[in-house]
Amino acid sequence: MTRNAEPSRHERKAVLEATIEQQRVDLLVATDRWQAAAHPLDAGWQAVHRYRVPILVAGGLLLLPVARHPGSVTRLGRKALVGALALDRLRRLLTRFR
């Protein structure tokens, strides 16, 4: 140490190097945790990616009736929306009386 109690250049360098090394270790641990958490998503994406052509063909075949009669999808969408709103109101009503 110098006369005014400041750390020397070598001591500061050692502290900085230790800090960097700790940050590297923290980064490696965080990377392992992130990869472990993302593994199920990656596996699911790989399965979807593997079967993308059959999925696209099936989706196209399902869209053929919609292209021929688009009004039926609109009616079905309205009914689904009304049903979802009714269920939401019923849920709110039941939670209010508990």
Side-chain angles (χ1 to χ4, degrees), residues 32-87:
D32 286 341
R33 286 182 184 165
W34 177 72
Q35 286 179 345
H39 181 72
L41 292 173
D42 289 338
W45 174 252
Q46 290 300 322
V48 168
H49 188 69
R50 188 177 311 124
Y51 299 112
R52 69 185 179 275
V53 172
I55 290 171
L56 289 173
V57 169
L61 290 175
L62 289 173
L63 285 176
L64 281 176
V66 173
R68 290 183 181 173
H69 306 288
S72 62
V73 173
T74 305
R75 285 191 301 272
L76 185 62
R78 285 183 192 153
K79 288 180 181 180
L81 181 63
V82 168
L85 290 174
L87 285 174

